[in-house]
């Protein structure tokens, strides 16, 4: 079974210095068609293993899929200043990544898959026409996220974010993660264990802990309901400027993306095509066959000869 390669990009920091962001690369490193998959708040790039394998296997043309570990997660560096953990840093890091990938092999076609936080980063990347992208975002998948995030869901996430724990075994860690992740929907024990394996790192003194910097929760805990509401206007502004063809996935029982927000996203801006999954909350893991099929068929659909990709400018 195919495995990805681990690579790094050096990213500048606004206050000076730099950090390294890890990314997992699948498929043909020289392919002009690039799919970038960005994970959720406390997750990491190996979340997309099933999707990436499927995309590479089914693509009718050479394809590379790149799945970064956002800074503070997975194999990436941790920030010295935890207040740097936020969308502006993450978006800047993605520009650095795209610049490095474009220098290695020119990007002719760019697609984006973003789960939760990764979708918010995608809103900025696809919805800010002034950004120096090597190619406009052609197709955008937003996985259970939009400009309006329910405050109750943020409170729920805040209850466990930063509690990285100490576990004697991978199974114990997987069981603990399942207690706070049941909203991901049904998974077989084998699927959940495979999804959990990259979520832990070995401690120097022995045992396991979750992979991420506990301080990613610092700026999260400073957020107020009022501040969250103020950010909605900016998020809608980015969304309304998106020119990429957009697919919106929603867990039918999601507590983060309300159905009325999803319906509004289908009516304005890029007029996203909405697909909902029953029995799933926040967020679909893109492992179940129907979830993978929804994304793969959207990204790999061939454009008619007379159809030109939509411009990335506003």
């Amino acid at each position: 079974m195919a495995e990805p390669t681990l690579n790094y990009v050096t990213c500048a920091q606004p206050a000076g210095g730099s950090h390294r962001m890890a990314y997992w690369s699948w498929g043909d490193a020289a392919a002009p068609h690039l799919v970038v998959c960005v994970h959720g708040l406390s997750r990491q790039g190996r979340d997309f293993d099933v999707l990436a394998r499927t995309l590479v296997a089914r693509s009718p043309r050479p394809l590379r899929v790149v799945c970064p570990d956002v800074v503070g997660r997975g194999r990436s560096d941790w920030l010295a200043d935890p207040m740097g953990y936020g969308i502006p840093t993450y978006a800047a890091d993605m520009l650095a990544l795209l610049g490095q990938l474009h220098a290695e092999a020119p990007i002719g076609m760019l697609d984006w898959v973003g789960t939760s936080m990764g979708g918010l980063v995608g809103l900025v990347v696809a919805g800010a026409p002034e950004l120096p992208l090597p190619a406009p975002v052609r197709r955008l998948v937003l996985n259970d996220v939009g400009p309006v995030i329910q405050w109750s869901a943020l409170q729920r996430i805040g209850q466990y974010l930063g509690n990285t724990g100490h576990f004697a075994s991978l199974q114990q860690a997987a069981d603990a993660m399942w207690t706070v992740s049941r909203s991901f929907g049904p998974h077989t024990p084998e699927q959940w264990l495979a999804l959990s394996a990259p979520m832990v790192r070995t401690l120097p003194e022995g045992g396991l802990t979750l992979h991420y910097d506990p301080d990613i929760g610092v700026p999260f805990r400073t957020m107020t309901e009022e501040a969250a509401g103020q950010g909605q206007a900016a998020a809608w502004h980015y969304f309304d400027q998106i020119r990429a063809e957009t697919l919106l996935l929603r867990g039918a029982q999601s507590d983060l993306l309300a159905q009325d927000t999803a319906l509004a996203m289908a009516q304005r801006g890029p007029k996203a095509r909405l697909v909902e999954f029953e029995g799933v909350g926040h967020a679909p893991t893109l492992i179940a066959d129907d979830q993978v099929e929804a994304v793969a068929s959207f990204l790999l659909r061939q454009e008619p000869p007379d159809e030109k990709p939509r411009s990335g400018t506003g």
Side-chain angles (χ1 to χ4, degrees):
M1 186 174 293
E3 290 294 326
T5 60
L6 175 61
N7 310 269
Y8 293 89
V9 58
T10 299
C11 306
Q13 297 178 168
S18 64
H19 59 267
R20 291 198 315 165
M21 181 173 70
Y23 63 95
W24 302 90
S25 184
W26 298 82
D28 184 350
H33 183 192
L34 171 68
V35 179
V36 177
C37 301
V38 185
H39 58 77
L41 181 63
S42 63
R43 306 294 302 182
Q44 39 66 48
R46 298 300 299 269
D47 272 3
F48 297 101
D49 281 8
V50 172
L51 177 64
R53 285 193 186 99
T54 301
L55 291 174
V56 170
R58 285 181 47 179
S59 179
R61 55 187 170 234
L63 177 69
R64 54 177 163 166
V65 180
V66 167
C67 308
D69 288 344
V70 175
V71 65
R73 288 87 166 169
R75 303 293 183 89
S76 293
D77 289 347
W78 293 5
L79 296 179
D81 179 6
M83 294 310 292
Y85 289 124
I87 300 298
T89 297
Y90 306 153
D93 288 359
M94 296 305 154
L95 291 182
L97 171 63
L98 291 171
Q100 177 168 301
L101 294 173
H102 188 58
E104 293 171 353
I107 299 169
M109 188 181 297
L110 174 62
D111 295 332
W112 189 283
V113 179
T115 294
S116 196
M117 180 190 75
L120 295 179
V121 179
L123 283 183
V124 175
V125 171
E130 70 278 8
L131 291 181
L133 299 178
V137 178
R138 181 191 67 134
R139 290 179 183 159
L140 172 67
V141 179
L142 299 176
N143 185 13
D144 211 65
V145 72
V148 179
I149 296 176
Q150 298 301 109
W151 178 246
S152 58
L154 294 177
Q155 290 178 303
R156 173 180 62 80
I157 294 168
Q159 291 176 355
Y160 66 80
L161 185 66
N163 298 325
T164 53
H166 188 288
F167 310 103
S169 66
L170 173 58
Q171 187 63 61
Q172 187 182 76
D175 292 344
M177 283 184 274
W178 181 245
T179 64
V180 297
S181 303
R182 294 182 187 275
S183 63
F184 286 3
H187 289 74
T188 67
E190 294 77 18
Q191 287 174 330
W192 187 250
L193 197 62
L195 196 62
S196 299
M199 289 288 292
V200 297
R201 60 184 176 87
T202 303
L203 290 166
E205 65 274 18
L208 302 171
T209 190
L210 296 187
H211 65 99
Y212 65 85
D213 180 359
D215 282 349
I216 65 171
V218 171
F220 192 88
R221 287 189 289 273
T222 67
M223 187 187 307
T224 64
E225 186 171 6
E226 181 181 12
Q230 291 171 348
Q232 293 176 15
W236 277 119
H237 174 73
Y238 285 119
F239 182 79
D240 288 337
Q241 292 193 114
I242 291 172
R243 297 295 178 265
E245 186 179 0
T246 302
L247 172 66
L248 176 61
L249 307 179
R250 179 177 182 270
Q253 284 72 50
S254 176
D255 66 343
L256 187 136
L257 177 62
Q259 189 173 49
D260 59 352
T261 300
L263 293 174
M265 294 168 71
Q267 297 297 319
R268 58 188 284 184
K271 295 182 170 59
R273 179 163 69 89
L274 174 62
V275 175
E276 295 187 302
F277 301 108
E278 281 297 333
V280 180
H282 181 77
T285 57
L286 309 184
I287 288 177
D289 289 345
D290 58 339
Q291 297 173 22
V292 172
E293 178 59 32
V295 177
S297 60
F298 174 71
L299 294 180
L300 300 179
R301 188 189 73 245
Q302 294 289 292
E303 294 168 341
D306 59 347
E307 180 183 339
K308 296 181 180 179
R310 286 189 269 184
S311 169
T313 58

